Structure formats: C-alpha cells, structure tokens
C-alpha cells in the first residue's frame, strides 16, 4: 500500500478515530481511520483513446476551446458529449476493461517541450469509500459530472487541497507539489489526486462544476452534501523519466493538475461493484474480485460483465 500524507488531527479528527475504534470493535477490522476509509474499493483500468482540445463539461459544444486533454473510457467523447451520447455508444465502446463503463475520464496531456508524452498502458482509477461508514456509499447517479482540481491552482493550493494524496512522485521521490527536477531512468512520473465523494443529492452539475460535490469532513459527509458516492482516486503514470526541466502539462505546471469525470456506467453493473466491493469492505480488481479474500467471490464474469451478459 502507498504512504499517505499525514495531517494533524483536530478535535473532530479525534472523534473520527473514536468512531473508527467503535467500528473496529463491531467488525473486527483494523482500527485506523485511513484503513477503514481507503481499503474498500474496486479498480477501473483504461487506456488513453485520443487527445483533443475539448472539455465537454467546462466548454460544452465548443470544440477547440480547451487546452489539450487525454481521454480514456468512452471512445465517442468530444466537445458535444452528453449522457445520451455516451450511453448511445453501446457496450464495448470504451477503452476500459469493463465493457459497461461508458463513462468519460480525461486529464491534461503532458508534454516534454512541444512533444506530447504518450501513455500506452492502462491507467488506474480507484472507486473507494471516502467516509468511515463505507456501507453507506451509493453508486453515482447517471449523468453526474464534475472537475477535480484546477488548472488555475497555485502550488500552495495544490499542496493543501483535500484531494492531494502524494502529489508527483518518481523513484524514491514523493510529495512533490510540482514536477521533481529529475526522475531516475526507467521510472514513471506518477500523480495521485482524490475527488470529493459527497453529493448534494440534487444536481448533476453546477456552475463551477464543483459545488454540487464536497469532501467529507472528518470522514463524514456534511449536511449540505449528505449522499456518499464513490471517492475517485486517479493514479496516473507518465513515461517521463530523466531531466524534468522541459516537462509541463497542457494546463501549465505540475500543480495545475486536474481531471474530469462524466458518469455513464451501466447502472446495474456499477451498483453491483459498489455493493460487493465498497459496501462489502473489499479491495477489488476490475472484475470485483479481492485477491486477499477469494472466498468472497467475484461480482463480474471473466468478461468483466454481469453474469449472463455476452
């Protein structure tokens, strides 16, 4: 498991740990709040399909209005993308292992000078619990969309964001809030960033593409955003070893890192994965199988689909 950035506990944080201890007594799970929160998950693994200067959330129906993004998931994603267009693409119209994940995911393309750095392998997106009561996490509603991070963020804003986990890392270097000066030969330049996981229960989007979502407070959803949904954590890797002085994102420096999500999962498939893996307290792969608890079974077939689907 990766090492998480530690923060000083407030009085509320102590209360959260007390709650964790109570849950431990009831469930036999480890007592650490981070364990209770982050170890209930499933993975989504998707390859980059195309790059384009589009952003259908921030600049809908405005092709070319954005800096360049790298798109994974639904193969039809463009500036005019809607929930209807994503779902109309049909099963298998995705670069994700799960044929019924027709969602669109994107982030700013990385460049070395003026040359894009091409990602040729599957990237990992975790769907986790962001709250102590992982049994309360519910699937994303169809069509929900949001932006995580900001291309206009300062280095300090990136460093202190509740979504930043380790910043940029390569080799033994981590907790970098901008690109490190150099990455050892053969290593990848990685970034992790957590999304808010509390929804207001009403709006699928908002004017700033963020306000309908909120981060948990001491591992509990706030009253104005009461619905716990999966906490996305993008773990994105770039083949960018060596001298990093010419590395930049299409959006700017490393602290301008951000990503977008537009949900178009098949509702039954997403519900099955959330129920079995997140609510069930498992660490699942893309098939909904926990290698460490094989007796709990596998929610999807070997074709990454619900049983009975070809």
């Amino acid at each position: 498991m990766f090492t998480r950035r530690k923060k000083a506990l407030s009085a509320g944080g102590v209360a959260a740990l007390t709650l964790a201890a109570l849950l431990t007594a009831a469930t036999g799970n480890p007592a650490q709040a981070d364990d209770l929160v982050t170890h209930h998950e499933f993975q989504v693994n998707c390859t980059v399909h195309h790059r384009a200067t589009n952003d259908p959330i921030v600049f809908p129906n405005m092709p070319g209005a954005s800096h360049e993004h790298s798109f994974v998931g639904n193969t039809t994603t463009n500036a005019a993308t809607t929930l209807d267009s994503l779902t109309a693409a049909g099963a298998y119209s995705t670069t994700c292992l799960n044929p019924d994940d027709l969602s669109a995911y994107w982030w700013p393309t990385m460049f070395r000078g003026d040359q894009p750095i091409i990602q040729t392998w599957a990237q990992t997106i975790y769907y986790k619990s962001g709250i102590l009561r992982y049994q309360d996490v519910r699937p994303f509603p169809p069509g929900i969309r949001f932006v995580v991070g900001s291309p206009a963020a300062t280095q300090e804003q990136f460093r202190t964001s509740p979504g930043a986990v380790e910043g940029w890392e390569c080799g033994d270097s981590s907790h970098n809030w901008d690109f490190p000066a150099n990455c050892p030969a053969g290593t990848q330049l990685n970034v992790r960033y957590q999304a808010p996981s509390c929804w207001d229960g009403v709006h699928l989007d908002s004017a700033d593409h963020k306000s309908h979502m909120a981060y948990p407070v001491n591992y509990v959803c706030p009253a104005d955003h009461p619905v716990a949904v999966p906490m996305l954590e993008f773990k994105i890797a770039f083949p960018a070893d060596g001298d990093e002085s010419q590395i930049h994102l299409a959006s700017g420096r490393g602290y301008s890192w951000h990503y977008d999500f537009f949900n178009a999962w098949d509702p039954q498939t997403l519900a099955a994965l959330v129920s079995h893996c997140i609510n069930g307290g498992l660490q699942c792969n893309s098939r909904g199988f926990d290698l460490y608890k094989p007796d709990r079974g596998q929610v999807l077939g070997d074709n990454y689909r619900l049983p009975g689907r070809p």
Side-chain angles (χ1 to χ4, degrees):
M1 299 302 294
F2 56 86
T3 302
R4 293 189 164 271
R5 178 160 51 106
K6 302 299 182 183
K7 294 184 178 180
L9 286 177
S10 62
V14 173
L17 289 176
T18 301
L19 177 56
L22 293 174
L23 286 175
T24 299
T27 66
N29 288 334
Q32 291 185 2
D34 278 355
D35 288 341
L36 286 167
V37 171
T38 64
H39 296 177
H40 309 135
E41 64 188 42
F42 64 91
Q43 292 184 24
V44 170
N45 304 103
C46 316
T47 55
V48 174
H49 180 261
H50 62 277
R51 309 186 335 265
T53 52
N54 295 328
D55 189 324
I57 295 178
V58 179
F59 298 108
N61 299 304
M62 299 173 63
S66 173
H67 51 256
E68 184 176 294
H69 289 105
S70 296
F71 292 84
V72 307
N74 201 300
T75 58
T76 69
T77 310
N78 58 35
T81 285
T82 63
L83 175 60
D84 287 344
S85 71
L86 292 173
T87 57
Y92 291 97
S93 298
T94 178
T95 64
C96 301
L97 290 178
N98 301 85
D100 297 298
D101 181 7
L102 297 177
S103 304
Y105 311 86
W106 62 97
W107 54 79
T109 301
M110 180 179 284
F111 289 83
R112 187 185 296 276
D114 59 359
Q115 295 300 307
I117 294 175
I118 307 300
Q119 299 159 286
T120 58
W121 63 90
Q123 303 296 313
T124 302
I125 299 168
Y126 293 97
Y127 283 60
K128 301 186 174 192
S129 171
I131 60 171
L132 282 172
R133 285 283 310 172
Y134 56 87
Q135 301 92 336
D136 294 342
V137 175
R138 296 294 174 259
F140 287 117
I144 196 170
R145 49 203 180 272
F146 50 83
V147 178
V148 183
S150 171
T154 65
Q155 186 169 347
E156 182 65 9
Q157 288 170 333
F158 180 66
R159 185 185 71 82
T160 59
S161 168
V165 180
E166 291 187 349
W168 293 93
E169 57 183 15
C170 62
D172 294 328
S173 177
S174 62
H175 300 87
N176 296 293
W177 311 118
D178 197 357
F179 301 124
N182 189 280
C183 287
T187 64
Q188 299 170 354
L189 186 57
N190 303 321
V191 63
R192 293 177 185 252
Y193 203 111
Q194 292 179 344
S197 57
C198 299
W199 176 43
D200 68 10
V202 178
H203 304 98
L204 299 179
D205 197 3
S206 50
D208 62 357
H209 314 297
K210 294 183 178 185
S211 297
H212 57 306
M213 303 294 296
Y215 285 94
V217 178
N218 294 321
Y219 304 107
V220 176
C221 283
D224 55 355
H225 290 76
V227 183
V229 291
M231 184 268 283
L232 297 183
E233 181 178 282
F234 280 41
K235 180 186 176 183
I236 307 303
F238 298 87
D241 59 348
D243 179 10
E244 305 298 293
S245 62
Q246 298 301 308
I247 295 292
H248 63 96
L249 299 172
S251 53
R253 299 299 310 168
Y255 43 84
S256 72
W257 175 253
H258 60 284
Y259 58 84
D260 299 52
F261 170 64
F262 199 135
N263 177 46
W265 274 90
D266 168 69
Q268 287 182 295
T269 304
L270 179 59
L273 286 166
V274 169
S275 176
H276 182 74
C277 299
I278 299 179
N279 302 150
L282 301 178
Q283 291 179 268
C284 294
N285 60 18
S286 290
R287 293 191 179 97
F289 177 72
D290 186 339
L291 178 66
Y292 303 101
K293 298 178 181 178
D295 58 301
R296 296 287 295 276
Q298 180 173 302
V299 69
L300 302 181
D302 289 343
N303 62 352
Y304 299 92
R305 306 197 77 190
L306 288 171
R309 295 188 182 182

